[in-house]
Structure formats: structure tokens, C-alpha cells
């Protein structure tokens, strides 16, 4: 059921519209938007770029001792690769 005046946009276009609000969001919400952006890269066949972005986000979360968020990012990376049939497996850095 659609609401009057609502348009359906691709996920990438919606993320682009949220770019201006990015700096006004809480840290975890910023990261979640960036995770979505990188997941879209994976779905678009840009596995190296998408995984590089997800790895960077997970490492940043780990450096901030936000281990729950880091684990969430690694989980999203693994699930995204499984859905896209990716051969590159996410590798957590050695601790």
C-alpha cells in the first residue's frame, strides 16, 4: 500500500538523499548507513570496493572498542557475500 505523494526510489538514491543528514546522525547510525552503501556496492558486483569499505568500518568500530557494532558489520559482510556469491571471504584482522 503506497501513500499519496510517495515515490519509490532505488536504495542508492535514498542513501544519496540521506548524505546531507549523515553528519547529524549518531555515530552508530552513520556507520549503519555506510554499511548499507557498501552492501549496495557488493550487490552491484563491486566486491573488492564493497568489502574494503566494510572492512574499514569494522576496523574503525573495533578501534573505538565498539565490539558489538564491529561484529554486526562483519556479520553483514559475510551475509552480503553469501547473497552475492562472493568468493572473497571477509577476514577479521588478527588481534
Amino acid at each position: 500500500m503506497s501513500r499519496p505523494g510517495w515515490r519509490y526510489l532505488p536504495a542508492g538514491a535514498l542513501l544519496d538523499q540521506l548524505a546531507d543528514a549523515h553528519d547529524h546522525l549518531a555515530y552508530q547510525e552513520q556507520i549503519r548507513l555506510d554499511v548499507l552503501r557498501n552492501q549496495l556496492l557488493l550487490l552491484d558486483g563491486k566486491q573488492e570496493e564493497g568489502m574494503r569499505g566494510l572492512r574499514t568500518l569494522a576496523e574503525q568500530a573495533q578501534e573505538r572498542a565498539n565490539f558489538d557494532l564491529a561484529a554486526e558489520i562483519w556479520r553483514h559482510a559475510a551475509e552480503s557475500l553469501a547473497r552475492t556469491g562472493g568468493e572473497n571471504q571477509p577476514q577479521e584482522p588478527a588481534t
Side-chain angles (χ1 to χ4, degrees):
M1 177 178 203
S2 67
R3 294 184 182 195
W6 281 36
R7 297 180 302 156
Y8 291 98
L9 297 173
L14 290 172
L15 284 173
D16 289 344
Q17 287 184 356
L18 291 171
D20 291 337
H22 191 271
D23 293 338
H24 302 289
L25 298 172
Y27 170 73
Q28 288 189 349
E29 301 312 317
Q30 289 177 2
I31 296 299
R32 286 185 176 106
L33 279 178
D34 292 338
V35 166
L36 287 173
R37 192 169 280 111
N38 284 288
Q39 286 178 303
L40 288 175
L41 289 172
L42 290 171
L43 290 172
D44 197 29
K46 299 175 183 173
Q47 289 185 353
E48 187 174 321
E49 186 179 351
M51 280 308 303
R52 184 174 43 247
L54 289 171
R55 184 176 294 116
T56 299
L57 292 170
E59 290 170 354
Q60 288 173 359
Q62 286 175 249
E63 288 170 7
R64 294 181 124 195
N66 197 334
F67 301 114
D68 288 341
L69 182 60
E72 180 182 333
I73 295 167
W74 287 119
R75 182 178 55 80
H76 284 300
E79 289 172 354
S80 295
L81 283 174
R83 275 194 300 273
T84 61
E87 296 175 10
N88 298 328
Q89 298 300 317
Q91 297 177 1
E92 256 184 84
T95 54

